[in-house]
Amino acid sequence: DALLAHVALFPGVNLGPTRVSMPGGIGFQLEDDVALARPDVIVGGREFAHLHTDGSLHASLNPELAIVAIEAGWAVAHPWSEQRVGWEGFVMIFTPTTPDELKVVKQLVESSYSFVTGQGLPEK
């Protein structure tokens, strides 16, 4: 719930049923007027990430950040990450289980938004 409340504050993002994952997942959908710096990294529609019912999520990260997240044990490469140019940073991020882990996952999702849109988020 805390992650969803955080993402709901991102400019131009709507939360709703995922378009690319299993039923019950929540997609992080970019509104049509949000410019896409990297449309090639979006798997379906304008969904830049989605949350699974178990709290894990899929997101498109800058490939360099994806490597760091994988090496740090925060994520694993999605099997599709080798299927198409641009998807090299497509990862599954593990479910956060503590407040400190939630902070890291929030940062990864923020990075996904910025990577896909080319826009930073407003200062908190």
Side-chain angles (χ1 to χ4, degrees):
D1 291 339
L3 179 61
L4 292 175
H6 183 68
V7 174
L9 299 175
F10 291 10
V13 173
N14 293 312
L15 302 177
T18 180
R19 296 177 184 182
V20 296
S21 188
M22 298 180 299
I26 299 173
F28 305 168
Q29 312 285 341
L30 295 165
E31 295 174 354
D32 289 340
D33 62 344
V34 175
L36 299 177
R38 297 295 312 266
D40 57 318
V41 303
I42 293 181
V43 176
R46 293 180 63 86
E47 186 172 299
F48 74 94
H50 58 262
L51 182 70
H52 304 127
T53 56
D54 68 358
S56 65
L57 61 126
H58 284 129
S60 294
L61 301 175
N62 177 304
E64 292 172 3
L65 178 58
I67 291 168
V68 170
I70 291 165
E71 289 177 350
W74 292 104
V76 294
H78 190 285
W80 292 355
S81 66
E82 298 178 3
Q83 300 298 315
R84 190 168 94 182
V85 173
W87 288 6
E88 297 86 357
F90 191 43
V91 296
M92 185 188 78
I93 300 169
F94 298 116
T95 306
T97 60
T98 68
D100 287 337
E101 289 178 0
L102 178 61
K103 287 179 189 175
V104 173
V105 171
K106 284 180 177 179
Q107 291 172 344
L108 291 172
V109 175
E110 290 171 1
S111 294
S112 177
Y113 173 90
S114 295
F115 179 58
V116 172
T117 65
Q119 302 174 33
L121 290 165
E123 293 294 320
K124 300 172 191 169

